[in-house]
């Protein structure tokens, strides 16, 4: 009996050791993170580097300038943030691997994800970037890319009923649902966090100053946030209006087309009809075979 109990105890210890080694291996592996130089993804980046002390493999998809003129500003912001981290925290800088960049037109086409994206639009508006991000992860074999979707994010509304009890990924019970299939390669560590909470946590952790180097505007005017693109609107409405200059805030108050576009996104049926009409009037060639929005 003693021998049998001793054998069982040894087996348990070996299993615990294997589990511990597996957990350590996961903890040592770099976290895959979509980093744009914006507020949300930079907050997650700095939390991983300076609070959780994890290595990070960041990814950045280079969008076409005619769709997002703010790309150069995003790239400059990321370079400034890297330099600041290197100066203030060399240890954290050593855990930040070189960013892997990919042009959006270089992402292989995949009709499955394009179809899932189109189906998602029937339930509610989400940006076209989620379609090509899903294609990118599938092409690269990435199954746990972190996205900085947060509490006030529009995409969160689409996914809220699919989220697992962990609150960081979708529940496998929803396999087959287009929302699940489009977002299954992603993780959502900020799903229940607001921008204001990020600011408070950044202050507590001592990296609020770095957060001031982030960039968010897609269509800057004279090197300043425009106040009318979606990221500017969300920044103002989610409690960080001071990050948009006065001229931008005035444009935000006077905007007409963005208000109409936002109203359409709240009515999926009308949005899809307007989108189809726009495509007929002004057809756009999709260079990468994906969804044009």
């Amino acid at each position: 009996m003693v021998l049998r109990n001793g054998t069982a105890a040894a087996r348990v210890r070996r299993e615990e050791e294997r589990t511990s080694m597996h957990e350590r291996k996961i903890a040592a592996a770099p976290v895959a993170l979509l980093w744009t130089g914006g507020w949300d993804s930079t907050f997650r980046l700095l939390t991983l580097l300076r609070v959780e002390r994890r290595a990070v493999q960041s990814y950045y998809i280079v969008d076409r300038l005619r769709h997002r003129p703010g790309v150069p500003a995003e790239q400059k912001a990321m370079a400034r943030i890297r330099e600041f981290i290197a100066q203030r925290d060399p240890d954290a800088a050593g855990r930040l691997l070189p960013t892997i960049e990919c042009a959006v037109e270089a992402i292989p086409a995949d009709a499955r994800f394009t179809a899932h994206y189109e189906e998602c639009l029937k339930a509610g508006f989400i940006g076209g970037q989620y379609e090509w991000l899903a294609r990118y992860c599938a092409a690269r074999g990435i199954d746990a890319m972190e996205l900085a979707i947060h509490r006030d994010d529009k995409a969160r509304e689409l996914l809220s009923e699919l989220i697992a009890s962990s609150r960081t990924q979708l529940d496998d019970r929803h396999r087959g649902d287009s929302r699940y299939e489009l977002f299954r390669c992603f993780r959502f560590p900020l799903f229940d966090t607001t921008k204001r909470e990020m600011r408070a946590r950044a202050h507590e952790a001592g990296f609020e100053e770095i957060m001031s180097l982030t960039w968010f505007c897609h269509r800057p005017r004279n090197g300043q946030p425009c106040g009318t693109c979606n990221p500017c609107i969300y920044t103002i409405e989610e409690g960080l209006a001071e990050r948009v200059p006065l001229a931008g805030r005035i444009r935000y108050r006077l905007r007409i087309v963005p208000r109409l576009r936002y109203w359409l996104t709240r009515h999926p049926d009308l949005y899809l009809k307007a989108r189809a009409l726009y495509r007929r009037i002004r057809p756009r060639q999709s260079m990468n075979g994906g969804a044009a929005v």
Side-chain angles (χ1 to χ4, degrees):
M1 179 66 70
V2 174
L3 178 61
R4 192 173 299 172
N5 288 342
T7 301
R11 189 182 304 117
V12 169
R13 283 197 299 273
R14 287 196 298 271
E15 184 62 29
E16 289 177 345
E17 288 173 359
R18 282 196 294 269
T19 301
S20 179
M21 288 177 63
H22 178 67
E23 291 175 347
R24 287 198 298 271
K25 184 176 180 181
I26 293 176
V31 176
L33 172 70
L34 180 72
W35 184 34
T36 64
W39 179 272
D40 311 319
S41 62
T42 299
F43 172 80
R44 180 55 183 162
L45 174 82
L46 294 170
T47 299
L48 286 166
L49 292 174
R50 302 191 62 177
V51 179
E52 300 182 20
R53 304 187 66 78
R54 296 286 302 276
V56 178
Q57 175 60 73
S58 57
Y59 294 83
Y60 179 73
I61 308 300
V62 184
D63 203 354
R64 304 180 191 91
L65 289 179
R66 72 174 184 274
H67 294 169
R68 202 165 88 222
V71 165
E74 291 178 353
Q75 293 172 318
K76 290 179 181 177
M78 287 187 283
R80 288 196 299 269
I81 291 167
R82 275 186 178 275
E83 182 179 354
F84 196 99
I85 294 173
Q87 293 174 352
R88 299 296 181 89
D89 193 342
D91 185 51
R95 293 192 297 274
L96 178 54
L97 304 179
T99 298
I100 296 175
E101 294 191 354
C102 178
V104 68
E105 60 267 25
I107 302 174
D110 192 321
R112 296 173 302 165
F113 294 109
T114 303
H116 288 314
Y117 173 75
E118 295 293 332
E119 192 65 26
C120 284
L121 288 178
K122 297 177 182 179
F125 173 79
I126 54 171
Q129 72 270 22
Y130 296 114
E131 188 269 346
W132 42 255
L133 283 170
R135 286 191 283 116
Y136 178 77
C137 286
R140 299 272 310 197
I142 302 171
D143 62 1
M145 172 81 81
E146 289 197 357
L147 298 185
I149 291 176
H150 56 287
R151 178 178 288 277
D152 299 313
D153 203 303
K154 306 309 174 186
R156 186 183 186 277
E157 298 176 13
L158 188 75
L159 302 175
S160 59
E161 64 184 39
L162 278 68
I163 200 73
S165 57
S166 67
R167 308 298 291 175
T168 60
Q169 65 186 81
L170 300 186
D171 195 318
D172 290 343
R173 293 179 298 176
H174 297 286
R175 288 182 185 276
D177 187 306
S178 284
R179 294 169 296 176
Y180 176 91
E181 298 301 332
L182 187 66
F183 287 88
R184 62 185 172 84
C185 292
F186 305 125
R187 298 295 179 267
F188 316 104
L190 302 178
F191 200 75
D192 294 322
T193 307
T194 67
K195 286 185 185 293
R196 288 182 176 180
E197 288 171 341
M198 292 181 218
R199 178 165 57 186
R201 293 179 189 177
H203 177 74
E204 292 172 2
F207 56 76
E208 187 175 18
E209 185 178 2
I210 306 178
M211 294 293 291
S212 67
L213 302 176
T214 58
W215 181 265
F216 53 90
C217 180
H218 282 180
R219 299 182 178 278
R221 293 195 180 193
N222 300 318
Q224 297 291 321
C226 67
T228 58
C229 70
N230 284 341
C232 279
I233 293 171
Y234 302 153
T235 296
I236 292 171
E237 294 181 351
E238 293 175 27
L240 301 180
E242 72 278 1
R243 301 208 66 207
V244 179
L246 177 60
R249 296 199 298 273
I250 292 174
R251 284 191 290 268
Y252 164 79
R253 294 294 180 186
L254 299 177
R255 72 194 191 283
I256 296 177
V257 174
R259 287 182 191 275
L260 176 60
R261 188 185 302 120
Y262 176 78
W263 183 84
L264 284 172
T265 65
R266 310 305 295 178
H267 300 81
D269 291 343
L270 290 176
Y271 171 77
L272 289 173
K273 291 177 182 178
R275 183 169 174 257
L277 177 62
Y278 175 79
R279 286 179 168 182
R280 287 198 297 270
I281 296 174
R282 186 180 176 185
R284 283 163 46 175
Q285 296 297 321
S286 180
M287 296 175 62
N288 60 350
V293 182

